Amino acid sequence: MQNSATPTHCPYCALQCGMNLTPAADGTVEVTERADFPVNRGALCGKGRTAPAVLSSRVRLTSPLVRSEGTLVPASWDEALDRIAEGLTRTRAEHGPDAVGVFGGGGLTNEKAYSLGKFARIVLGTSQIDYNGRFCMSSAAAAGTKAFGLDRGLPFPLEDIPKTGCVILVGSNLAETMPPSLRFFNELKDNGGKLIVVDPRRTKTAEQADLHLAPRPGTDLALALGMLHLVVAEGRTDEAYIEERTAGWEDARAAAMAHWPEYVERITGVAVPQLREAVRMFCEPEHAMVLTARGPEQQSKGTDTVGAWINLCLATGRAGRPLSGYGCLTGQGNGQGGREHGQKADQLPGYRKLTDPAARRHVAEVWGVDPDSLPGPGRSAYELLDALGTDIRSLLLMGSNPVVSAPRAAHVEERIKALDFLAVCDVVLSETAALADVVLPVTQWAEETGTTTNLEGRVLLRRRAITPPEGVRSDLEVMHELAARLGGEKGLEKSFPTDPEEVFEELRRASAGGPADYSGITYRRLAEENGVFWPCPAPDGSAGAAGSAESVASADAADSEDAALDVTPEDPARDVAEDGVHPGTPRLFLDRFATEDGRARFAPVSHRAVAEEPDDEYPVLLTTGRVVAQYQSGAQTRRVDELNAAAPGPFVELHPRLAARLGASEGDPVAVVSRRGRAVAPARITTGIRPDTVFMPFHWPGEGRANTLTNPALDPTSRMPEFKACAVRLEAVQS
């Protein structure tokens, strides 16, 4: 075991905060400040500070488990791996390769995500692979790609936020989901900038805002259209920018003009004077930004909703310019990199489209296979889970807990139980792993080296700080061993190295020339720098024009303007560029967008209702979200005593008027009932939520499982489920 501090990154959200880890003599691991990392500058939330608690053998898996007579019992690695190989082989033989599904996670490193997509397609031969990141920011990704030709969560670094004039934060509670990031918004206000928060709840983040807009859940699209209507009516459009850098304005303008302020007020509940004030605050400064998160994205119209907020940026000239733009606040730790390199049903490494013949040829050449042997696109995440036990008979699952995190969770749990065979790789015995036929204990963030890509598109190196316990192996080793068992005489295990740096070197080649080009990034660079922003093509030109940084942005062309605005007070990467090494691309689209003609595209969108409107039987809207002390499905954080003390269980947040009609007092058990099921949790009564809305956090299983209630209605483009709005009724429960 090492005794010195190892600089690394937090395992949780997409900030990927920097921290130092130092092993102690008693076997524990100490977290200390790492002030040199610019994203958090040493600050950590409670989850980051307590992250080493899950490394303890007291709470984590340290031995493979196999099901025997209905019970999971310890087994050897060979027995467990043989059981998985037998189960998957039997399914393929009886039902074909697409009867085997693969479900990944947004917390897997780039190396694991890349290998898992490759494993599904060349070892299993299945098209049925997706990951839980589909539930994170797929709507923003789809809208960003439509508008700009390329999606990267933030097309600029977080350090630009304090220097802009106004930020509209839509559907994000950063004070609880990403606390260290709030400093950038506090600095914005200190510098005289304004913060507008759009959220149906008066969250801790909304309390920091200069203006809080509280629309009905599911009406963010109408709100954005109403603001654009006012921008046009008040003559605040940037006509020169629209003419020079965009396309499709007339159709988008016509759609917005059908959403006059009083009509939008009736839909959203946001008063016209507040709409006008928001437009004034956004348009008066020279620079402004819109940032979206799960609120507008986790809707059955999430792609259109994000498109409407992008329209607002384009119409006012606030995209592809320094200190202005649209960005998405990615949630999961490696949600960005996880979809860039092959876990997603329709994508190949480098953010390439699986349906693109040139992309298939390139990746197939790197993998040493025939392009025609690669399966086509498969089902999206919820559709894959919904097909379990019918079309999909066996499932290999890595780093996800859909029994708690998926919409219509009780149904998903039934589908998982209907499988012929389930194998799970995880660090803890999650609620999903507890249903498996085989469970493999795998290494955690502090026990392995690998890369992640944070919400800024900054590729980072997580370093191994401690030795994993005896009996635990990495996901890369699992895929290597399964490839040996499933590949017959082909020697496929040679295509699945266990050294993460070797995997990354192959990932560099596979991504070269793609939109997410990592070919100019190396472990050595990542060890010496505080991350490298993609796209970053290799210096020998192997990246090609299709995805090179020059085709979507310029790191150098805006030097004079950047300097005047103090956007980059120092950028050592520019000195490196003189030696032929690409510096990476912190800011995208400064010269042109990544479309064929370099122009951004407006989205001609109109308001439509949520998939399930309230009615007499289900008169209230439910929205869901997170609390500061828990993370995602809670599989890891619920094993940390300090975090459980801060957030011990689920609750139902409701307005006093709604509580009075129900006859509920603070702490009374309340049943929330939807068309999909029933959840019970204590009442938390507050004036900080709309009277027509209730809120539940989704971190817990059991009777308080919020996702028992949520609606799996899918966005037609992104296939994102509608987590953020469904019709429910409340019932008093006798305690």
Side-chain angles (χ1 to χ4, degrees):
M1 182 178 287
Q2 302 175 27
N3 294 317
S4 59
T6 300
T8 189
H9 297 272
C10 178
Y12 291 117
C13 80
L15 287 180
Q16 288 296 281
C17 290
M19 59 170 61
N20 290 315
L21 296 182
T22 305
D26 62 0
T28 60
V29 179
E30 180 185 8
V31 174
T32 54
E33 179 179 299
R34 182 182 165 194
D36 68 306
F37 188 59
V39 171
N40 64 311
R41 306 176 201 162
L44 293 169
C45 71
K47 294 187 292 290
R49 285 188 295 98
T50 62
V54 187
L55 299 169
S56 169
S57 297
R58 181 178 63 86
V59 299
R60 55 97 57 86
L61 294 167
T62 56
S63 171
L65 304 173
V66 300
R67 192 164 296 279
S68 176
E69 298 181 354
T71 303
L72 287 172
V73 298
S76 69
W77 269 92
D78 281 341
E79 179 185 357
L81 290 164
D82 288 345
R83 286 274 293 270
I84 296 174
E86 290 165 6
L88 301 183
T89 298
R90 184 168 56 251
T91 295
R92 287 195 300 169
E94 294 177 0
H95 303 285
D98 274 357
V100 177
V102 177
F103 199 82
L108 300 183
T109 62
N110 290 320
E111 292 80 2
K112 294 178 184 179
Y114 170 81
S115 294
L116 189 60
K118 179 181 176 182
F119 182 87
R121 293 178 174 106
I122 75 170
V123 176
L124 297 174
T126 183
S127 65
Q128 301 303 304
I129 175 173
D130 211 80
Y131 83 128
N132 63 14
R134 174 79 67 171
F135 301 154
C136 179
M137 57 175 290
S138 57
S139 294
T145 300
K146 282 184 175 182
F148 307 131
L150 178 72
D151 155 60
R152 193 180 82 187
L154 292 182
F156 43 76
L158 285 163
E159 66 188 42
D160 285 2
I161 290 172
K163 303 167 188 172
T164 193
C166 178
V167 174
I168 302 179
L169 190 60
V170 189
S172 174
N173 183 14
L174 288 172
E176 297 207 57
T177 59
M178 297 179 174
S181 70
L182 199 61
R183 67 170 56 197
F184 294 102
F185 299 88
N186 291 334
E187 290 171 11
L188 164 75
K189 296 180 66 177
D190 291 343
N191 292 338
K194 301 297 183 183
L195 175 62
I196 301 170
V197 171
V198 179
D199 199 304
R201 304 166 61 222
R202 188 163 182 80
T203 63
K204 291 180 180 179
T205 306
E207 289 173 355
Q208 308 299 314
D210 297 283
L211 178 63
H212 173 212
L213 306 180
R216 272 176 92 239
T219 63
D220 318 76
L221 174 53
L223 183 69
L225 288 164
M227 290 183 65
L228 183 54
H229 177 109
L230 287 170
V231 164
V232 175
E234 295 175 2
R236 297 181 184 273
T237 56
D238 187 332
E239 295 296 331
Y241 174 92
I242 292 170
E243 175 68 23
E244 179 184 353
R245 299 202 61 187
T246 73
W249 168 231
E250 289 305 317
D251 288 344
R253 179 184 182 278
M257 297 314 289
H259 296 75
W260 62 95
E262 292 76 13
Y263 173 55
V264 169
E265 179 178 333
R266 290 199 301 273
I267 294 170
T268 65
V270 176
V272 172
Q274 282 193 309
L275 283 174
R276 294 188 183 279
E277 178 65 4
V279 169
R280 184 194 66 78
M281 290 171 64
F282 183 70
C283 292
E284 284 189 352
E286 183 178 0
H287 311 290
M289 299 174 179
V290 173
L291 304 177
T292 67
R294 306 302 78 75
E297 297 163 19
Q298 288 181 328
Q299 299 183 27
S300 59
K301 55 182 183 295
T303 302
D304 285 357
T305 301
V306 174
W309 288 106
I310 292 174
N311 286 351
L312 183 65
C313 291
L314 294 176
T316 54
R318 307 301 178 88
R321 285 178 167 173
L323 304 183
S324 292
Y326 163 78
C328 165
L329 297 164
T330 309
Q332 294 191 78
N334 197 32
Q336 182 74 48
R339 73 180 184 280
E340 291 169 3
H341 297 303
Q343 281 192 102
K344 200 159 168 275
D346 58 350
Q347 286 178 187
L348 288 169
Y351 232 152
R352 288 180 161 91
K353 286 294 182 185
L354 190 52
T355 52
D356 178 2
R360 293 170 67 88
R361 284 195 301 272
H362 174 87
V363 174
E365 182 178 358
V366 174
W367 288 353
V369 300
D370 184 340
D372 293 337
S373 70
L374 297 178
R379 293 174 172 88
S380 69
Y382 179 77
E383 292 167 303
L384 189 158
L385 295 171
D386 190 41
L388 299 180
T390 54
D391 293 345
I392 299 174
R393 309 297 307 183
S394 291
L395 181 69
L396 174 63
L397 185 146
M398 286 188 172
S400 185
N401 188 19
V403 165
V404 177
S405 63
R408 198 185 174 195
H411 172 73
V412 169
E413 183 175 354
E414 290 175 359
R415 299 320 318 144
I416 287 174
K417 289 177 179 177
L419 284 165
D420 294 341
F421 182 80
L422 171 64
V424 173
C425 300
D426 211 331
V427 300
V428 296
L429 190 66
S430 70
E431 287 72 23
T432 305
L435 303 177
D437 296 284
V438 179
V439 183
L440 299 181
V442 291
T443 49
Q444 298 189 53
W445 58 289
E447 301 162 349
E448 59 186 11
T449 294
T451 62
T452 61
T453 305
N454 82 343
L455 77 172
E456 306 165 296
R458 188 194 302 252
V459 185
L460 305 166
L461 184 65
R462 270 198 210 153
R463 297 166 175 87
R464 173 171 164 159
I466 61 172
T467 302
E470 187 74 24
V472 172
R473 299 184 186 180
S474 75
D475 295 281
L476 296 179
E477 291 176 279
V478 169
M479 285 181 272
H480 176 87
E481 292 292 338
L482 288 178
R485 287 164 168 80
L486 293 164
E489 302 300 320
K490 299 178 182 178
L492 288 179
E493 69 274 13
K494 297 174 184 175
S495 297
F496 292 88
T498 60
D499 176 17
E501 186 170 6
E502 188 175 346
V503 176
F504 189 80
E505 287 300 304
E506 183 178 300
L507 182 157
R508 292 177 62 210
R509 299 195 303 274
S511 73
D517 191 335
Y518 284 31
S519 61
I521 305 174
T522 64
Y523 268 36
R524 180 175 178 178
R525 280 191 69 177
L526 295 178
E528 295 172 350
E529 304 176 30
N530 268 324
V532 177
F533 292 85
W534 70 261
C536 182
D540 60 6
S542 61
S548 67
E550 289 76 17
S551 73
V552 295
S554 171
D556 301 311
D559 275 351
S560 58
E561 186 175 9
D562 284 3
L565 294 168
D566 193 28
V567 173
T568 50
E570 56 179 279
D571 188 352
R574 293 176 188 260
D575 298 328
V576 180
E578 297 176 0
D579 299 327
V581 177
H582 194 280
T585 315
R587 297 170 182 85
L588 296 171
F589 315 135
L590 295 182
D591 295 330
R592 65 193 308 273
F593 296 97
T595 56
E596 288 187 6
D597 59 5
R599 292 173 174 267
R601 302 289 192 265
F602 280 95
V605 296
S606 296
H607 168 72
R608 60 183 188 273
V610 296
E612 190 176 74
E613 285 276 32
D615 55 21
D616 291 343
E617 187 176 3
Y618 300 97
V620 177
L621 279 170
L622 167 72
T623 192
T624 63
R626 292 190 276 165
V627 297
V628 66
Q630 301 289 352
Y631 180 71
Q632 303 297 78
S633 75
Q636 295 178 57
T637 51
R638 283 187 277 110
R639 287 164 167 80
V640 179
D641 292 341
E642 181 179 330
L643 300 179
N644 282 332
F651 57 86
V652 180
E653 188 175 278
L654 66 163
H655 192 275
R657 294 210 299 267
L658 190 54
R661 290 202 299 270
L662 186 65
S665 299
E666 181 77 14
D668 286 350
V670 171
V672 185
V673 183
S674 78
R675 290 178 173 85
R676 287 153 297 281
R678 183 175 190 266
V680 178
R684 184 173 292 183
I685 300 172
T686 174
T687 57
I689 191 168
R690 293 175 55 95
D692 57 4
T693 301
V694 294
F695 167 83
M696 290 187 72
F698 58 79
H699 309 291
W700 289 272
E703 71 170 3
R705 180 174 59 184
N707 278 321
T708 295
L709 309 167
T710 47
N711 190 352
L714 300 179
D715 180 289
T717 301
S718 68
R719 316 309 288 170
M720 167 74 84
E722 191 151 66
F723 287 99
K724 291 302 181 188
C726 72
V728 299
R729 68 170 180 266
L730 304 185
E731 298 174 351
V733 177
Q734 297 300 319
S735 56

